[in-house]
Amino acid sequence: MIQVTGLTKRYGNKRGVEDITFHVDKGEIVGLLGPNGAGKSTIMKMLTGCHMMTSGRIVINGCDMLEDPDQALRHVGFMPELPPLYLEMEVEEGVPKGERKAHVEGLLGLTGVGDVRGRPIGNLSKGYRQRVGLAQALVGDPKILILDEPTAGLDPRQITEVRDLLKHLSRDHTIIVSSHILAEIGQTCDRVVIISNGRLVAEDTMENLSRGQEEGNLFRLKAACNREELSAALGDIPSIEKIEGCGTDCGAGGDRRWFEITAPDTDEVRQAVSAALARHQIPLLELNSGRLSLEQVFLRLTDARTG
Ligand code: ADP
C-alpha cells in the first residue's frame, strides 16, 4: 500500500532524515517511533506531499509521489502534529462545506466531538482539538491515514480513547501513526518503525523487538543473604558463570539484595537455583528474567545512535 525507499530530506546543510526504507501493507497500523527531533514529522510531511523529498521514492497505492502526486494522495488523510484549525470557527464548521451531512454526522460521532459541535474551536481543550483535527483528516473517507503525534499532550484517559479510536479505524484503514513515547502507541500497532537521529534503526513487530533484545544468558534474583552466602549456596550449579551483586534493597534493612546471575535463563537453571537456596535456607524473594522491557529496548535503540 505504501512503499518508501531510500527517502532522504535535507534542510539546507542540515539532515532531516536519511535513507529511510520501509513499507506498510494494506490494513496495517504502523507506528513511527523515535525521540523528538528524530525525523518523524519530516517523513510524514513527505508522505503527504507537504514537503519535497531531497531524494528517494514514495509509492502509495501503486502511484509514484513524484510522477503523479494528486493520484498518490487521493486516498490519504493527514493529521499534522498541530492541526491547522481555525480557532474562531465552530467545530461543525471545521468540516468543509459540501460534505454530505450523514458523513459529517458520522465523523463527529466517531471522533467524539458531537457534544461540542457548536463551540468555537479556540475554546476547546487540547484533547478535543486533537479530535477535531482527526475528524478533519477523515473527511472524504480516505483509506490511508497519516497521524502525527495524535496522543501528544493528552491525559491518560484521552490517550486510551485515541488508541481505541485507532483500533476501530484500523478495521478499514491503513494507518501510520507517530509518537515519541513507545508506550502510548506501540501496543496498538502491528509493526513499528523506529527512527533515531534521522535514520531508521529498527523495523519489526513489538514482540520481535523485545525478543531480539532478550538477554538470554542472564537473570536476576533477590534473596535475603550476602554475595558470599549466595555464591556458596549456588556453587554446585556448573552452568552458572558469574554472580554479581546489583544493589541493596534499601527499604528492607540491607540484608535483601538483588543479584545478577550469568547463566542460561532456562527453567532447569531456575529450578536448580531455587532448590539450592531452599537447601541452604536462604529465602528467595524474587526471580526475574533478564528480558528487557520494551521501553528499555526503545531507549537502547534510540540512545545508541544519537548524539
Ligand atoms: P520529529 O518529528 O521526530 O520530532 P522532525 O522531523 O520535526 O522530528 O525533525 C527532524 C530534524 O529536522 C530535526 O533536527 C529538526 O530540527 C529538523 N527540521 C525539521 N523541520 C525543519 C525545517 N523546516 N527547517 C530546518 N530543519 C528542520
PDB file of all heavy atoms in Angstrom, residues 26-61:
ATOM      1  N   LYS A  26      -1.574  -3.125   3.224  1.00  0.00           N
ATOM      2  CA  LYS A  26      -2.971  -2.720   3.339  1.00  0.00           C
ATOM      3  C   LYS A  26      -3.558  -3.188   4.674  1.00  0.00           C
ATOM      4  O   LYS A  26      -3.351  -4.334   5.076  1.00  0.00           O
ATOM      5  CB  LYS A  26      -3.748  -3.345   2.177  1.00  0.00           C
ATOM      6  CG  LYS A  26      -5.158  -2.871   2.076  1.00  0.00           C
ATOM      7  CD  LYS A  26      -5.750  -3.201   0.715  1.00  0.00           C
ATOM      8  CE  LYS A  26      -7.079  -2.520   0.591  1.00  0.00           C
ATOM      9  NZ  LYS A  26      -8.204  -3.372   0.544  1.00  0.00           N
ATOM     10  N   GLY A  27      -4.230  -2.287   5.367  1.00  0.00           N
ATOM     11  CA  GLY A  27      -4.905  -2.657   6.607  1.00  0.00           C
ATOM     12  C   GLY A  27      -4.029  -2.667   7.844  1.00  0.00           C
ATOM     13  O   GLY A  27      -4.512  -2.914   8.939  1.00  0.00           O
ATOM     14  N   GLU A  28      -2.743  -2.382   7.688  1.00  0.00           N
ATOM     15  CA  GLU A  28      -1.848  -2.389   8.852  1.00  0.00           C
ATOM     16  C   GLU A  28      -1.905  -1.055   9.598  1.00  0.00           C
ATOM     17  O   GLU A  28      -2.163  -0.012   9.005  1.00  0.00           O
ATOM     18  CB  GLU A  28      -0.398  -2.562   8.380  1.00  0.00           C
ATOM     19  CG  GLU A  28       0.085  -3.980   8.324  1.00  0.00           C
ATOM     20  CD  GLU A  28       1.604  -4.037   8.110  1.00  0.00           C
ATOM     21  OE1 GLU A  28       2.138  -3.283   7.274  1.00  0.00           O
ATOM     22  OE2 GLU A  28       2.225  -4.858   8.778  1.00  0.00           O
ATOM     23  N   ILE A  29      -1.596  -1.104  10.912  1.00  0.00           N
ATOM     24  CA  ILE A  29      -1.241   0.128  11.625  1.00  0.00           C
ATOM     25  C   ILE A  29       0.242   0.040  11.886  1.00  0.00           C
ATOM     26  O   ILE A  29       0.709  -0.914  12.527  1.00  0.00           O
ATOM     27  CB  ILE A  29      -1.891   0.261  13.021  1.00  0.00           C
ATOM     28  CG1 ILE A  29      -3.381   0.109  12.998  1.00  0.00           C
ATOM     29  CG2 ILE A  29      -1.512   1.595  13.624  1.00  0.00           C
ATOM     30  CD1 ILE A  29      -4.013   0.525  14.342  1.00  0.00           C
ATOM     31  N   VAL A  30       0.980   1.001  11.384  1.00  0.00           N
ATOM     32  CA  VAL A  30       2.423   1.016  11.623  1.00  0.00           C
ATOM     33  C   VAL A  30       2.763   2.249  12.453  1.00  0.00           C
ATOM     34  O   VAL A  30       2.319   3.355  12.161  1.00  0.00           O
ATOM     35  CB  VAL A  30       3.202   1.001  10.288  1.00  0.00           C
ATOM     36  CG1 VAL A  30       4.678   1.280  10.508  1.00  0.00           C
ATOM     37  CG2 VAL A  30       3.035  -0.363   9.610  1.00  0.00           C
ATOM     38  N   GLY A  31       3.517   2.043  13.516  1.00  0.00           N
ATOM     39  CA  GLY A  31       3.929   3.143  14.393  1.00  0.00           C
ATOM     40  C   GLY A  31       5.279   3.676  13.956  1.00  0.00           C
ATOM     41  O   GLY A  31       6.200   2.908  13.702  1.00  0.00           O
ATOM     42  N   LEU A  32       5.354   4.983  13.833  1.00  0.00           N
ATOM     43  CA  LEU A  32       6.629   5.637  13.538  1.00  0.00           C
ATOM     44  C   LEU A  32       7.099   6.224  14.862  1.00  0.00           C
ATOM     45  O   LEU A  32       6.489   7.163  15.367  1.00  0.00           O
ATOM     46  CB  LEU A  32       6.369   6.735  12.508  1.00  0.00           C
ATOM     47  CG  LEU A  32       7.500   7.247  11.643  1.00  0.00           C
ATOM     48  CD1 LEU A  32       8.202   6.115  10.922  1.00  0.00           C
ATOM     49  CD2 LEU A  32       6.956   8.242  10.618  1.00  0.00           C
ATOM     50  N   LEU A  33       8.124   5.614  15.427  1.00  0.00           N
ATOM     51  CA  LEU A  33       8.520   5.983  16.787  1.00  0.00           C
ATOM     52  C   LEU A  33       9.934   6.522  16.824  1.00  0.00           C
ATOM     53  O   LEU A  33      10.790   6.084  16.061  1.00  0.00           O
ATOM     54  CB  LEU A  33       8.450   4.746  17.686  1.00  0.00           C
ATOM     55  CG  LEU A  33       7.074   4.128  17.861  1.00  0.00           C
ATOM     56  CD1 LEU A  33       7.195   2.751  18.469  1.00  0.00           C
ATOM     57  CD2 LEU A  33       6.228   5.009  18.757  1.00  0.00           C
ATOM     58  N   GLY A  34      10.151   7.458  17.717  1.00  0.00           N
ATOM     59  CA  GLY A  34      11.501   7.999  17.895  1.00  0.00           C
ATOM     60  C   GLY A  34      11.436   9.237  18.752  1.00  0.00           C
ATOM     61  O   GLY A  34      10.379   9.853  18.857  1.00  0.00           O
ATOM     62  N   PRO A  35      12.566   9.608  19.351  1.00  0.00           N
ATOM     63  CA  PRO A  35      12.565  10.798  20.215  1.00  0.00           C
ATOM     64  C   PRO A  35      12.254  12.071  19.428  1.00  0.00           C
ATOM     65  O   PRO A  35      12.287  12.044  18.189  1.00  0.00           O
ATOM     66  CB  PRO A  35      14.001  10.846  20.745  1.00  0.00           C
ATOM     67  CG  PRO A  35      14.728   9.689  20.206  1.00  0.00           C
ATOM     68  CD  PRO A  35      13.870   8.980  19.223  1.00  0.00           C
ATOM     69  N   ASN A  36      11.989  13.147  20.129  1.00  0.00           N
ATOM     70  CA  ASN A  36      11.758  14.426  19.460  1.00  0.00           C
ATOM     71  C   ASN A  36      12.961  14.785  18.604  1.00  0.00           C
ATOM     72  O   ASN A  36      14.097  14.593  19.017  1.00  0.00           O
ATOM     73  CB  ASN A  36      11.522  15.531  20.493  1.00  0.00           C
ATOM     74  CG  ASN A  36      10.139  15.428  21.091  1.00  0.00           C
ATOM     75  OD1 ASN A  36       9.188  15.063  20.404  1.00  0.00           O
ATOM     76  ND2 ASN A  36      10.024  15.713  22.365  1.00  0.00           N
ATOM     77  N   GLY A  37      12.684  15.264  17.396  1.00  0.00           N
ATOM     78  CA  GLY A  37      13.775  15.658  16.510  1.00  0.00           C
ATOM     79  C   GLY A  37      14.357  14.503  15.709  1.00  0.00           C
ATOM     80  O   GLY A  37      15.287  14.682  14.929  1.00  0.00           O
ATOM     81  N   ALA A  38      13.792  13.297  15.861  1.00  0.00           N
ATOM     82  CA  ALA A  38      14.322  12.119  15.156  1.00  0.00           C
ATOM     83  C   ALA A  38      14.066  12.199  13.653  1.00  0.00           C
ATOM     84  O   ALA A  38      14.860  11.703  12.852  1.00  0.00           O
ATOM     85  CB  ALA A  38      13.706  10.849  15.720  1.00  0.00           C
ATOM     86  N   GLY A  39      12.947  12.802  13.262  1.00  0.00           N
ATOM     87  CA  GLY A  39      12.630  12.897  11.837  1.00  0.00           C
ATOM     88  C   GLY A  39      11.258  12.370  11.465  1.00  0.00           C
ATOM     89  O   GLY A  39      10.937  12.236  10.293  1.00  0.00           O
ATOM     90  N   LYS A  40      10.421  12.114  12.463  1.00  0.00           N
ATOM     91  CA  LYS A  40       9.102  11.526  12.197  1.00  0.00           C
ATOM     92  C   LYS A  40       8.222  12.483  11.376  1.00  0.00           C
ATOM     93  O   LYS A  40       7.636  12.088  10.374  1.00  0.00           O
ATOM     94  CB  LYS A  40       8.390  11.178  13.518  1.00  0.00           C
ATOM     95  CG  LYS A  40       9.196  10.257  14.406  1.00  0.00           C
ATOM     96  CD  LYS A  40       8.502   9.992  15.726  1.00  0.00           C
ATOM     97  CE  LYS A  40       8.256  11.209  16.586  1.00  0.00           C
ATOM     98  NZ  LYS A  40       9.478  11.857  17.112  1.00  0.00           N
ATOM     99  N   SER A  41       8.146  13.735  11.819  1.00  0.00           N
ATOM    100  CA  SER A  41       7.301  14.701  11.098  1.00  0.00           C
ATOM    101  C   SER A  41       7.818  14.917   9.688  1.00  0.00           C
ATOM    102  O   SER A  41       7.031  15.048   8.740  1.00  0.00           O
ATOM    103  CB  SER A  41       7.282  16.057  11.815  1.00  0.00           C
ATOM    104  OG  SER A  41       6.644  15.933  13.041  1.00  0.00           O
ATOM    105  N   THR A  42       9.132  14.943   9.544  1.00  0.00           N
ATOM    106  CA  THR A  42       9.733  15.124   8.219  1.00  0.00           C
ATOM    107  C   THR A  42       9.261  14.010   7.282  1.00  0.00           C
ATOM    108  O   THR A  42       8.862  14.271   6.144  1.00  0.00           O
ATOM    109  CB  THR A  42      11.274  15.119   8.354  1.00  0.00           C
ATOM    110  OG1 THR A  42      11.642  16.218   9.188  1.00  0.00           O
ATOM    111  CG2 THR A  42      11.957  15.234   7.019  1.00  0.00           C
ATOM    112  N   ILE A  43       9.263  12.778   7.765  1.00  0.00           N
ATOM    113  CA  ILE A  43       8.821  11.646   6.936  1.00  0.00           C
ATOM    114  C   ILE A  43       7.334  11.808   6.606  1.00  0.00           C
ATOM    115  O   ILE A  43       6.909  11.653   5.460  1.00  0.00           O
ATOM    116  CB  ILE A  43       9.074  10.302   7.663  1.00  0.00           C
ATOM    117  CG1 ILE A  43      10.572  10.077   7.827  1.00  0.00           C
ATOM    118  CG2 ILE A  43       8.425   9.141   6.910  1.00  0.00           C
ATOM    119  CD1 ILE A  43      10.935   8.897   8.722  1.00  0.00           C
ATOM    120  N   MET A  44       6.534  12.153   7.618  1.00  0.00           N
ATOM    121  CA  MET A  44       5.086  12.264   7.396  1.00  0.00           C
ATOM    122  C   MET A  44       4.755  13.396   6.428  1.00  0.00           C
ATOM    123  O   MET A  44       3.850  13.273   5.614  1.00  0.00           O
ATOM    124  CB  MET A  44       4.379  12.468   8.724  1.00  0.00           C
ATOM    125  CG  MET A  44       4.472  11.211   9.574  1.00  0.00           C
ATOM    126  SD  MET A  44       3.418  11.305  11.001  1.00  0.00           S
ATOM    127  CE  MET A  44       2.917   9.607  11.143  1.00  0.00           C
ATOM    128  N   LYS A  45       5.502  14.483   6.518  1.00  0.00           N
ATOM    129  CA  LYS A  45       5.239  15.601   5.606  1.00  0.00           C
ATOM    130  C   LYS A  45       5.579  15.225   4.168  1.00  0.00           C
ATOM    131  O   LYS A  45       4.904  15.657   3.234  1.00  0.00           O
ATOM    132  CB  LYS A  45       6.016  16.838   6.046  1.00  0.00           C
ATOM    133  CG  LYS A  45       5.359  17.504   7.252  1.00  0.00           C
ATOM    134  CD  LYS A  45       6.174  18.664   7.739  1.00  0.00           C
ATOM    135  CE  LYS A  45       5.572  19.235   9.012  1.00  0.00           C
ATOM    136  NZ  LYS A  45       6.583  19.970   9.793  1.00  0.00           N
ATOM    137  N   MET A  46       6.604  14.408   3.985  1.00  0.00           N
ATOM    138  CA  MET A  46       6.913  13.965   2.616  1.00  0.00           C
ATOM    139  C   MET A  46       5.872  12.953   2.128  1.00  0.00           C
ATOM    140  O   MET A  46       5.475  12.973   0.967  1.00  0.00           O
ATOM    141  CB  MET A  46       8.325  13.372   2.559  1.00  0.00           C
ATOM    142  CG  MET A  46       9.385  14.452   2.682  1.00  0.00           C
ATOM    143  SD  MET A  46      11.041  13.834   2.390  1.00  0.00           S
ATOM    144  CE  MET A  46      11.389  13.040   3.935  1.00  0.00           C
ATOM    145  N   LEU A  47       5.407  12.112   3.048  1.00  0.00           N
ATOM    146  CA  LEU A  47       4.391  11.109   2.673  1.00  0.00           C
ATOM    147  C   LEU A  47       3.081  11.767   2.256  1.00  0.00           C
ATOM    148  O   LEU A  47       2.283  11.176   1.538  1.00  0.00           O
ATOM    149  CB  LEU A  47       4.089  10.194   3.874  1.00  0.00           C
ATOM    150  CG  LEU A  47       5.064   9.058   4.135  1.00  0.00           C
ATOM    151  CD1 LEU A  47       4.735   8.380   5.445  1.00  0.00           C
ATOM    152  CD2 LEU A  47       5.014   8.045   2.992  1.00  0.00           C
ATOM    153  N   THR A  48       2.846  12.967   2.749  1.00  0.00           N
ATOM    154  CA  THR A  48       1.568  13.634   2.466  1.00  0.00           C
ATOM    155  C   THR A  48       1.745  14.799   1.501  1.00  0.00           C
ATOM    156  O   THR A  48       0.847  15.618   1.343  1.00  0.00           O
ATOM    157  CB  THR A  48       0.947  14.151   3.776  1.00  0.00           C
ATOM    158  OG1 THR A  48       1.933  14.917   4.482  1.00  0.00           O
ATOM    159  CG2 THR A  48       0.506  13.012   4.655  1.00  0.00           C
ATOM    160  N   GLY A  49       2.916  14.876   0.867  1.00  0.00           N
ATOM    161  CA  GLY A  49       3.128  15.880  -0.172  1.00  0.00           C
ATOM    162  C   GLY A  49       3.327  17.291   0.355  1.00  0.00           C
ATOM    163  O   GLY A  49       3.336  18.241  -0.431  1.00  0.00           O
ATOM    164  N   CYS A  50       3.487  17.462   1.681  1.00  0.00           N
ATOM    165  CA  CYS A  50       3.678  18.812   2.226  1.00  0.00           C
ATOM    166  C   CYS A  50       5.127  19.257   2.066  1.00  0.00           C
ATOM    167  O   CYS A  50       5.415  20.443   2.028  1.00  0.00           O
ATOM    168  CB  CYS A  50       3.312  18.863   3.708  1.00  0.00           C
ATOM    169  SG  CYS A  50       1.654  18.338   4.035  1.00  0.00           S
ATOM    170  N   HIS A  51       6.065  18.313   2.062  1.00  0.00           N
ATOM    171  CA  HIS A  51       7.479  18.628   1.855  1.00  0.00           C
ATOM    172  C   HIS A  51       7.983  17.847   0.658  1.00  0.00           C
ATOM    173  O   HIS A  51       7.613  16.689   0.460  1.00  0.00           O
ATOM    174  CB  HIS A  51       8.314  18.204   3.074  1.00  0.00           C
ATOM    175  CG  HIS A  51       8.353  19.231   4.155  1.00  0.00           C
ATOM    176  ND1 HIS A  51       9.040  19.040   5.323  1.00  0.00           N
ATOM    177  CD2 HIS A  51       7.797  20.459   4.236  1.00  0.00           C
ATOM    178  CE1 HIS A  51       8.903  20.118   6.094  1.00  0.00           C
ATOM    179  NE2 HIS A  51       8.143  20.987   5.463  1.00  0.00           N
ATOM    180  N   MET A  52       8.862  18.481  -0.099  1.00  0.00           N
ATOM    181  CA  MET A  52       9.530  17.770  -1.202  1.00  0.00           C
ATOM    182  C   MET A  52      10.656  16.926  -0.621  1.00  0.00           C
ATOM    183  O   MET A  52      11.365  17.375   0.277  1.00  0.00           O
ATOM    184  CB  MET A  52      10.159  18.783  -2.172  1.00  0.00           C
ATOM    185  CG  MET A  52       9.171  19.416  -3.118  1.00  0.00           C
ATOM    186  SD  MET A  52       8.446  18.194  -4.217  1.00  0.00           S
ATOM    187  CE  MET A  52       9.841  17.860  -5.293  1.00  0.00           C
ATOM    188  N   MET A  53      10.823  15.734  -1.169  1.00  0.00           N
ATOM    189  CA  MET A  53      11.962  14.925  -0.729  1.00  0.00           C
ATOM    190  C   MET A  53      13.222  15.418  -1.440  1.00  0.00           C
ATOM    191  O   MET A  53      13.140  15.987  -2.534  1.00  0.00           O
ATOM    192  CB  MET A  53      11.703  13.449  -1.034  1.00  0.00           C
ATOM    193  CG  MET A  53      11.489  13.137  -2.490  1.00  0.00           C
ATOM    194  SD  MET A  53      10.970  11.433  -2.749  1.00  0.00           S
ATOM    195  CE  MET A  53       9.195  11.569  -2.784  1.00  0.00           C
ATOM    196  N   THR A  54      14.381  15.199  -0.820  1.00  0.00           N
ATOM    197  CA  THR A  54      15.650  15.537  -1.470  1.00  0.00           C
ATOM    198  C   THR A  54      16.010  14.407  -2.436  1.00  0.00           C
ATOM    199  O   THR A  54      16.407  14.643  -3.569  1.00  0.00           O
ATOM    200  CB  THR A  54      16.762  15.740  -0.420  1.00  0.00           C
ATOM    201  OG1 THR A  54      16.309  16.726   0.512  1.00  0.00           O
ATOM    202  CG2 THR A  54      18.059  16.185  -1.062  1.00  0.00           C
ATOM    203  N   SER A  55      15.832  13.166  -1.967  1.00  0.00           N
ATOM    204  CA  SER A  55      15.979  12.019  -2.862  1.00  0.00           C
ATOM    205  C   SER A  55      15.215  10.836  -2.278  1.00  0.00           C
ATOM    206  O   SER A  55      14.762  10.883  -1.134  1.00  0.00           O
ATOM    207  CB  SER A  55      17.460  11.659  -3.063  1.00  0.00           C
ATOM    208  OG  SER A  55      18.042  11.352  -1.819  1.00  0.00           O
ATOM    209  N   GLY A  56      15.085   9.797  -3.091  1.00  0.00           N
ATOM    210  CA  GLY A  56      14.340   8.618  -2.648  1.00  0.00           C
ATOM    211  C   GLY A  56      13.030   8.507  -3.399  1.00  0.00           C
ATOM    212  O   GLY A  56      12.776   9.240  -4.363  1.00  0.00           O
ATOM    213  N   ARG A  57      12.195   7.589  -2.933  1.00  0.00           N
ATOM    214  CA  ARG A  57      10.963   7.303  -3.670  1.00  0.00           C
ATOM    215  C   ARG A  57       9.827   6.962  -2.714  1.00  0.00           C
ATOM    216  O   ARG A  57      10.044   6.252  -1.719  1.00  0.00           O
ATOM    217  CB  ARG A  57      11.252   6.113  -4.592  1.00  0.00           C
ATOM    218  CG  ARG A  57      10.191   5.875  -5.606  1.00  0.00           C
ATOM    219  CD  ARG A  57      10.719   5.027  -6.758  1.00  0.00           C
ATOM    220  NE  ARG A  57       9.682   4.970  -7.778  1.00  0.00           N
ATOM    221  CZ  ARG A  57       9.178   3.856  -8.272  1.00  0.00           C
ATOM    222  NH1 ARG A  57       9.637   2.685  -7.890  1.00  0.00           N
ATOM    223  NH2 ARG A  57       8.221   3.910  -9.177  1.00  0.00           N
ATOM    224  N   ILE A  58       8.655   7.482  -3.010  1.00  0.00           N
ATOM    225  CA  ILE A  58       7.458   7.102  -2.250  1.00  0.00           C
ATOM    226  C   ILE A  58       6.411   6.626  -3.255  1.00  0.00           C
ATOM    227  O   ILE A  58       6.100   7.346  -4.211  1.00  0.00           O
ATOM    228  CB  ILE A  58       6.887   8.304  -1.467  1.00  0.00           C
ATOM    229  CG1 ILE A  58       7.889   8.804  -0.417  1.00  0.00           C
ATOM    230  CG2 ILE A  58       5.565   7.934  -0.804  1.00  0.00           C
ATOM    231  CD1 ILE A  58       7.466  10.085   0.285  1.00  0.00           C
ATOM    232  N   VAL A  59       5.897   5.434  -3.030  1.00  0.00           N
ATOM    233  CA  VAL A  59       4.818   4.925  -3.890  1.00  0.00           C
ATOM    234  C   VAL A  59       3.626   4.609  -2.989  1.00  0.00           C
ATOM    235  O   VAL A  59       3.755   3.869  -2.007  1.00  0.00           O
ATOM    236  CB  VAL A  59       5.265   3.664  -4.659  1.00  0.00           C
ATOM    237  CG1 VAL A  59       4.116   3.103  -5.489  1.00  0.00           C
ATOM    238  CG2 VAL A  59       6.456   3.976  -5.559  1.00  0.00           C
ATOM    239  N   ILE A  60       2.486   5.228  -3.282  1.00  0.00           N
ATOM    240  CA  ILE A  60       1.283   4.974  -2.496  1.00  0.00           C
ATOM    241  C   ILE A  60       0.222   4.405  -3.423  1.00  0.00           C
ATOM    242  O   ILE A  60      -0.094   5.029  -4.458  1.00  0.00           O
ATOM    243  CB  ILE A  60       0.763   6.271  -1.831  1.00  0.00           C
ATOM    244  CG1 ILE A  60       1.844   6.861  -0.909  1.00  0.00           C
ATOM    245  CG2 ILE A  60      -0.521   5.995  -1.041  1.00  0.00           C
ATOM    246  CD1 ILE A  60       1.453   8.155  -0.236  1.00  0.00           C
ATOM    247  N   ASN A  61      -0.283   3.246  -3.057  1.00  0.00           N
ATOM    248  CA  ASN A  61      -1.335   2.629  -3.856  1.00  0.00           C
ATOM    249  C   ASN A  61      -0.924   2.500  -5.324  1.00  0.00           C
ATOM    250  O   ASN A  61      -1.720   2.757  -6.227  1.00  0.00           O
ATOM    251  CB  ASN A  61      -2.587   3.514  -3.758  1.00  0.00           C
ATOM    252  CG  ASN A  61      -3.824   2.664  -3.615  1.00  0.00           C
ATOM    253  OD1 ASN A  61      -3.750   1.435  -3.683  1.00  0.00           O
ATOM    254  ND2 ASN A  61      -4.957   3.311  -3.440  1.00  0.00           N
TER     255      ASN A  61
END
